[in-house]
Amino acid sequence: MADLGVILGDLAAESQAIDDVVADLPASDWARRTPAEGWTIAHQIAHLAWTDKKALIAARGSEAEWQAEIEGLLATGESYVDDGAAEGAKTPPRQLLAEWRAGRAELAEALAAVPDGQKIPWYGPPMSAASMVTARLMETWAHGQDIFDALGVPRENSARIWHIARFGTRTRDFAYKLNSLAPPAEEFRVELAAPDGTTWAFGPKDAGQRLTGSAVDFCLVITQRRHPDDTDLVATGADVEEWLGIAQAFAGPPGAGRRPGQFA
């Protein structure tokens, strides 16, 4: 069973790593474009703050309250994620940063209090508290990558991304269903070189199809921050190659991802 306290600590550390990068930026740099079309650094932080607020509603509210939240969002149209980021990006940077800090702290407290076995509703399938924290870690890391890319700042990854890599393998079938495709019947073997040089392995050893390469590159692909062609990932098997083209660990419609050669 996943240790909720450990994942919460890793989420806090990942959030702080991004906080450290943006905290001293001049207000003008918050308007820098990121690789996400139409999104600035302010949009990225605003989106994290917005999603934390939604997760707080899911964690603390009743099923009826969450259903009302979903219905309210859908009534505004399918662009509610972009709209939420755009609205939040209008907030002065110091205030926006303060709101994100307060919101993520409140969410961590709420998720820590979720009883064992209780499922939390979400835009995709309902999740346990541990899975919700992992999803928040995955999204925080992904949007942080957009900020690092926008600033041209090198990123130091750690063992924290193990949670994201594991989440990526566990959402394989989810990605197929998002694209109206039937998931492969057999599991894949995924072997990844971790930031510390060790190997992380997922799936059966005797699987006929496998994926190997850098754990960082795998996380970049399943969060659609890099095109598979721009990574060192090696797919053995037609189904694995197909998966790399549609892999998506986050909820929502299929993403556009990044162009081949965009970060060459």
Side-chain angles (χ1 to χ4, degrees):
M1 181 178 293
D3 189 321
L4 181 59
V6 169
I7 312 174
L8 280 168
D10 285 345
L11 171 58
E14 199 62 54
S15 299
Q16 189 59 52
I18 298 169
D19 194 316
D20 290 343
V21 170
V22 301
D24 295 326
L25 288 179
S28 59
D29 276 355
W30 284 68
R32 282 199 191 199
R33 295 179 181 179
T34 69
E37 187 175 352
W39 281 35
T40 65
I41 289 176
H43 282 77
Q44 300 287 350
I45 298 299
H47 173 70
L48 291 176
W50 180 89
T51 313
D52 284 346
K53 290 177 184 177
K54 302 306 179 185
L56 187 62
I57 294 172
R60 284 186 174 168
S62 65
E63 186 173 338
E65 288 173 317
W66 178 250
Q67 188 59 38
E69 170 68 21
I70 289 292
E71 291 173 358
L73 286 176
L74 293 178
T76 66
E78 294 184 357
S79 63
Y80 59 84
V81 172
D82 287 325
D83 293 344
E87 184 63 30
K90 298 176 184 177
T91 306
R94 296 303 103 191
Q95 181 182 341
L96 177 56
L97 184 56
E99 290 178 0
W100 179 44
R101 288 169 174 168
R104 71 192 198 228
E106 189 174 10
L107 176 61
E109 182 179 339
L111 290 171
V114 173
D116 289 343
Q118 179 175 312
K119 294 290 187 179
I120 302 171
W122 197 235
Y123 301 102
M127 296 185 284
S128 66
S131 292
M132 173 66 82
V133 177
T134 303
R136 296 305 306 130
L137 173 59
M138 175 271 298
E139 189 166 18
T140 298
W141 183 86
H143 288 281
Q145 186 63 48
D146 290 333
I147 294 171
F148 279 91
D149 286 336
L151 294 171
V153 176
R155 186 178 207 173
E156 291 187 14
N157 284 291
S158 72
R160 292 193 295 267
I161 67 170
W162 180 87
H163 304 292
I164 303 170
R166 178 174 178 268
F167 197 70
T169 63
R170 291 169 68 87
T171 54
R172 184 199 73 168
D173 290 2
F174 169 73
Y176 274 88
K177 292 172 183 176
L178 275 180
N179 288 273
S180 301
L181 298 170
E186 297 181 359
E187 292 186 65
F188 302 152
R189 175 71 169 181
V190 178
E191 296 180 354
L192 305 171
D196 65 0
T198 60
T199 298
W200 296 338
F202 308 92
K205 288 184 178 181
D206 60 351
Q209 301 193 64
R210 58 186 55 232
L211 178 70
T212 60
S214 157
V216 172
D217 280 358
F218 179 69
C219 291
L220 288 169
V221 168
I222 58 98
T223 57
Q224 298 191 350
R225 264 51 192 181
R226 292 291 186 274
H227 190 278
D229 289 353
D230 294 340
T231 70
D232 68 1
L233 298 178
V234 177
T236 302
D239 290 337
V240 181
E241 290 184 8
E242 180 182 49
W243 177 41
L244 281 183
I246 62 172
Q248 177 175 325
F250 52 89
R258 302 288 181 259
R259 303 184 309 275
Q262 186 172 351
F263 297 92

